[in-house]
Amino acid sequence: MINIIPNSQIRKINYYWQDVLDYKPQDKISSSQVIPESCLKGSNKIMIFHINKISFLKTDPLLFDDVSNFISTHYSYKTVNGDCFIKNFKGTICKNDTIYFYYLAENNLMHDTLDSNYLLRLLTPSDVSSLNNLKKLCSKAELKMSNIDLTQPVVLGCFYKNNLICVSSLEFLQNDIANIKVLIHPEFEKNGIGKLTLKAICQYGLSQNKIIQYKFSETDTYSKMIAETLGFKLYVIQENLEVGGQSTEYKVQ
């Protein structure tokens, strides 16, 4: 991945991921590093994060020895990915999904003028019924990835003739990172409202000197199109594997 995010911002993004991965710069440098993750205990899961040409693996502690042996034998001097595991452990490991993390560090966004039928405003607790109605129209996959509710610090909604058709939220993380989420009425996906709503909340986050993180599934071509249109850059890829699980992408027979 070509890195064109300003160096000062890259440093903050790297510090954020050092915290996420519990990684310290003085740790042994190798191309693939394995980290036991207590919250994954008993899950049979392995998560691979691809950052700065290094693969960081978080794994179920019960799988740690097997994963570490595999990495030390084959991948200590080169990066590993999900396909490497699937190829080596035929029929026992599958890939559940792949998540992209895009970042926006500078505000080069132009303001847009909405048609008079549309209203863009911050949501309040009184909008909970409108948000619930929107959620009923969206798929389970969209709801799982967006997970938007009115307890989040900043929630922006777009209304069309008094009906909530798109909502985006901003969650403040460490090291000046702010994660955005979006949920859009399926009938309005192709008219640009999702992009306008995301652009507005990005402008707010950037005005607060935040680095905007946009996280979505590899299969979400709509979010990928919006991210790249707005100037986001791909920086981290997360592959989610499972021993004996049911893959949503493919499963080795």
Side-chain angles (χ1 to χ4, degrees):
M1 292 172 282
I2 299 175
N3 186 357
I4 61 173
I5 300 174
N7 288 337
S8 60
Q9 311 292 21
I10 285 293
R11 191 176 299 111
K12 291 181 179 180
I13 295 172
N14 286 337
Y15 285 152
Y16 169 73
W17 280 100
Q18 284 178 19
D19 292 337
V20 170
L21 299 170
D22 194 24
Y23 169 77
K24 300 175 180 59
Q26 65 266 27
D27 290 348
K28 178 183 177 182
I29 300 298
S30 62
S31 296
S32 298
Q33 301 185 32
V34 187
I35 307 157
E37 180 61 66
S38 58
C39 69
L40 295 178
K41 187 174 182 178
S43 67
N44 287 328
K45 293 183 178 179
I46 303 166
M47 299 187 298
I48 308 175
F49 298 87
H50 304 281
I51 310 170
N52 292 335
K53 298 181 180 180
I54 298 178
S55 297
F56 297 90
L57 294 84
K58 279 192 172 186
T59 180
D60 180 339
L62 301 177
L63 301 176
F64 179 72
D65 288 342
D66 288 339
V67 173
S68 294
N69 290 336
F70 174 62
I71 294 300
S72 62
T73 301
H74 301 286
Y75 290 96
S76 59
Y77 298 104
K78 58 182 178 179
T79 57
V80 68
N81 59 36
D83 290 338
C84 300
F85 277 91
I86 292 170
K87 181 179 178 180
N88 188 78
F89 299 96
K90 292 182 174 62
T92 61
I93 290 183
C94 66
K95 184 187 292 187
N96 286 330
D97 59 1
T98 300
I99 306 299
Y100 288 160
F101 292 82
Y102 276 70
Y103 288 92
L104 182 67
E106 293 184 316
N107 193 355
N108 296 317
L109 304 173
M110 300 294 292
H111 286 275
D112 294 279
T113 303
L114 289 173
D115 182 282
S116 59
N117 288 318
Y118 296 92
L119 172 66
L120 198 62
R121 66 168 174 82
L122 294 175
L123 299 187
T124 69
S126 64
D127 294 306
V128 64
S129 60
S130 295
L131 179 57
N132 288 337
N133 289 335
L134 174 60
K135 288 182 176 182
K136 291 176 183 177
L137 300 173
C138 299
S139 69
K140 290 182 179 179
E142 290 170 328
L143 293 174
K144 181 179 179 181
M145 182 59 69
S146 64
N147 192 28
I148 295 176
D149 62 58
L150 297 180
T151 65
Q152 292 162 350
V154 182
V155 185
L156 186 67
C158 183
F159 292 81
Y160 176 71
K161 296 181 178 179
N162 297 321
N163 294 313
L164 184 63
I165 60 168
C166 186
V167 61
S168 182
S169 69
L170 197 63
E171 178 184 11
F172 299 129
L173 306 176
Q174 298 180 41
N175 300 102
D176 292 330
I177 306 295
N179 186 62
I180 57 170
K181 299 177 182 178
V182 64
L183 193 64
I184 185 168
H185 190 301
E187 293 182 6
F188 289 83
E189 283 188 351
K190 296 183 179 180
N191 73 348
I193 290 301
K195 184 180 75 171
L196 292 178
T197 306
L198 270 178
K199 182 186 289 189
I201 205 163
C202 286
Q203 288 169 327
Y204 175 84
L206 291 168
S207 73
Q208 304 300 307
N209 297 315
K210 300 296 182 180
I211 301 170
I212 310 300
Q213 173 183 282
Y214 191 6
K215 170 186 173 183
F216 52 87
S217 171
E218 177 188 39
T219 59
D220 187 351
T221 55
Y222 178 73
S223 291
K224 185 174 186 291
M225 179 273 294
I226 290 179
E228 294 181 350
T229 299
L230 295 179
F232 281 81
K233 300 301 174 186
L234 177 62
Y235 194 63
V236 176
I237 297 175
Q238 174 187 344
E239 295 182 276
N240 296 316
L241 310 178
E242 186 173 352
V243 176
Q246 295 296 318
S247 173
T248 57
E249 292 184 353
Y250 57 84
K251 184 175 181 180
V252 176
Q253 302 297 323

